[in-house]
Amino acid sequence: TIEPVAACGVALESAGAAIMQRKSTEDIGEQIVAASQALSRLSEHLFDPESQAKCQRAAALMLVAGNNLLGKEEAPVGKSWLKGGRA
């Protein structure tokens, strides 16, 4: 198997186990971030540009989710945050 596929699978299974064991959101977030990194590495092995882009997008969204669980917030971009909006 391709190493990033196995690493992503292990990280997602670990996140699922952490949820079932009612572990902290930090533990779950760390596993989601690890899965995101593996998915990003997987995208490097894809030859189809569309598939590669979809894999990279999924990795980016997974990273955001993991960071949210870890309590890391993204820095606001632009000035919309001044009016209480989201960046």
Side-chain angles (χ1 to χ4, degrees), residues 29-63:
E30 288 173 5
Q31 295 303 323
I32 298 293
V33 168
S36 165
Q37 293 166 346
L39 198 57
S40 181
R41 287 193 314 273
L42 173 64
S43 72
E44 298 169 3
H45 295 277
L46 301 176
F47 297 110
D48 177 40
E50 184 178 348
S51 297
Q52 191 175 35
K54 286 180 180 182
C55 194
Q56 289 171 345
R57 173 79 174 140
L61 291 174
M62 199 177 291
L63 181 62

Side-chain angles (χ1 to χ4, degrees), residues 14-28:
S14 296
I19 291 169
M20 296 299 293
Q21 296 169 356
R22 299 179 189 260
K23 291 191 175 180
S24 70
T25 56
E26 289 82 16
D27 290 338
I28 299 165

Side-chain angles (χ1 to χ4, degrees), residues 8 20 46-47 61 64-65 72 77 81 83-84:
C8 186
M20 296 299 293
L46 301 176
F47 297 110
L61 291 174
V64 170
K72 298 178 181 177
V77 178
W81 61 274
K83 297 179 183 176

